[in-house]
Amino acid sequence: MSNQARSQLFGDLDVTVELDAPIGAMTWFGIGGKADALVHPHTKDALVTLVARCAQSLVPIRVLGKGANLLVDDDGVDGIVLMMDDPIFRELKFNRNGPVHRLHAMAGADLFKTVNELARQGLSGMEQVAGIPGTIGGGLRMNAGGTYGCIGDNVETVQCCSMSGELLSYDASQLEFSYRSTNIPEGIVLSATFTLQPSQPVAVRARVREIFAAKQAAQPMADKSAGCAFRNPNDREGTRVPAGRLIDEAGLKGLTEGGATVSTQHANFITTNPTATASHVRKLMALVQQRVMDHHGIQLEPEVVTWERTGVASE
Ligand SMILES: Cc1cc2nc3c(=O)[nH]c(=O)nc-3n(C[C@H](O)[C@H](O)[C@H](O)COP(=O)(O)OP(=O)(O)OC[C@H]3O[C@@H](n4cnc5c(N)ncnc54)[C@H](O)[C@@H]3O)c2cc1C
């Protein structure tokens, strides 16, 4: 992107910009290339204006949460990567009047910290996502969750900025959350309201600990990964089956490509060591897909989001 293009996009906006920003290293995998421009907006207006200008100029724009479900290609990404890490995008506001309490969470808020803050305040309703890394926005985009429920369970409203820069709001009657998926249209999630039940801090904290402990026992939480590599597919009878079980049954635990390995603890996790590249992870994922197809006749689809250069010129 030329200096002129950059100045037209965000020269007059209240943003901080990092050029050639090593976003791969900022993901949970800790691998992958750079973003041409990593932009930290300081106001909602700046974010919305930038999104609208990118749409008009056909400049690709993406939003980075905590990179907990993300593989950045070794060649990095073009265009703009937005990061909602300013305090205004991490705010949590509580409404504790009436029998149903509410949390209004900005999309950049950390999921771990949000769950802990709710426990501290004795508010129940988000324990099901205890231990899942990421932001509120990334969690909603992926409908993060697992055995105990998902983030979509208690959502009342979601506020977004469309890819053309329009501000939109959706209420529960318009929203659908299903397995690792939602009908929230493509765009930037700005914030969401969750309904919560008043409880005792000690009870909420105990439930959070219980769910986190179960997660730690089953998953390689201390290793570098992006959580589950593949979505749980349907078998021939249309029943959803754990991808980890299929990978395990195909004998792939421990399979390695360069610095990337199929976890021996949980077969649907691909973990990386310091020698790994994004290309190693991609090759290993392709190999796992092929072997599971050979063994079970089932096509695995990635759950991990991969970012790569679009090649769209933005001179
Ligand atoms: C150790 C480990 C354990 C995990 N366990 C689980 C689990 O149990 N259950 C589960 O569901 N997931 C799990 N994950 C995956 C991950 O935690 C979730 O997918 C999480 O929701 C990703 O959030 P993020 O903010 O890091 O998103 P990122 O990884 O940064 O981004 C993921 C996608 O969301 C988009 N996105 C991010 N923010 C926004 C926004 N504000 N608006 C619109 N789009 C946005 C990105 O553009 C990208 O397409 C795990 C990951 C790790 C590393």
Side-chain angles (χ1 to χ4, degrees), residues 17-26 32-40 76-77:
V17 180
E18 293 175 68
L19 300 179
D20 284 328
I23 59 162
M26 294 160 68
K34 297 180 178 180
D36 288 354
L38 178 63
V39 179
H40 308 262
V77 292

Side-chain angles (χ1 to χ4, degrees), residues 53-71:
R53 286 181 186 170
C54 284
Q56 281 152 14
S57 323
L58 300 179
V59 172
I61 184 162
R62 303 169 169 91
V63 55
L64 174 66
K66 296 275 173 185
N69 196 41
L70 196 60
L71 178 65

Side-chain angles (χ1 to χ4, degrees), residues 27-29 62-71 82 84 107-109 111 128-147 149-151 160 180 184-191 215 219-228 269 303 305-307:
T27 65
W28 270 65
F29 264 137
R62 303 169 169 91
V63 55
L64 174 66
K66 296 275 173 185
N69 196 41
L70 196 60
L71 178 65
L82 278 180
M84 299 169 70
L111 213 46
Q128 68 276 20
V129 294
I132 300 179
T135 57
I136 293 284
L140 287 166
R141 169 54 63 214
M142 307 302 301
N143 190 23
T147 314
C150 52
I151 193 169
C160 295
R180 298 299 79 76
I184 298 172
E186 196 194 358
I188 319 292
V189 176
L190 297 175
S191 61
K215 195 166 164 57
Q219 302 178 352
M221 294 295 292
D223 292 334
K224 286 180 179 288
S225 79
C228 287
F269 275 58
E303 182 168 313
V305 175
T306 300
W307 281 359

